[in-house]
Amino acid sequence: MSPDRNSSSPRAPGSLEQQESQLWRWTLLFMIFLAVALAALMWERLEAIPFHLRAIPLGVLVLSILFAVYAYGRRREVSELKEALRGLQDHVGAAPSEEQLDQLSHALATQLQGVDRLV
């Protein structure tokens, strides 16, 4: 074992973000897959019941897809905030550009609207 393999070497931020993005995609796709499987299993079992409960599996599926879309959008917003922050950190000492301030204020306003909707 070489010493540089044992020590935690810092990775490039772009590589970490790429891996995090890929992890999010796999997680959301897996969640949708589970929702489809659950809906298929529930559909077969609920078909035998005389009540009209077929909307439950479809509701679970739709709710899961909507949650995946929401989580993906929030993940994208956080990524944009990180990029804006990194851009501001790169220019420490220099005044941020108008475009950077607009991007940051837009992202923060979007975040606050999301929080307001949850509350």
Side-chain angles (χ1 to χ4, degrees):
M1 287 188 198
S2 64
D4 56 331
R5 285 188 141 209
N6 288 339
S7 66
S8 60
S9 61
R11 295 182 181 173
S15 173
L16 287 176
E17 287 181 16
Q18 213 171 29
Q19 289 176 355
E20 181 184 9
S21 178
Q22 183 179 14
L23 178 64
W24 271 104
R25 279 192 304 269
W26 281 108
T27 302
L28 294 175
L29 284 174
F30 183 69
M31 186 185 73
I32 290 173
F33 171 75
L34 287 177
V36 168
L38 178 66
L41 287 173
M42 287 176 67
W43 187 270
E44 289 177 4
R45 294 178 194 261
L46 292 176
E47 211 170 54
I49 297 176
F51 303 110
H52 298 287
L53 301 176
R54 293 184 186 155
I56 293 173
L58 295 176
V60 169
L61 179 62
V62 169
L63 188 63
S64 297
I65 290 172
L66 289 175
F67 178 74
V69 168
Y70 173 76
Y72 177 75
R74 300 299 281 184
R75 162 70 180 94
R76 193 178 67 229
E77 289 176 15
V78 168
S79 178
E80 289 173 1
L81 281 174
K82 283 181 183 178
E83 288 178 21
L85 182 62
R86 190 175 307 117
L88 290 174
Q89 286 175 341
D90 289 344
H91 297 357
V92 172
S97 71
E98 196 67 33
E99 180 183 349
Q100 288 173 328
L101 289 174
D102 286 342
Q103 286 177 347
L104 186 59
S105 65
H106 175 70
L108 288 173
T110 306
Q111 290 287 332
L112 288 175
Q113 286 175 355
V115 170
D116 287 341
R117 278 187 252 146
L118 289 176
V119 175

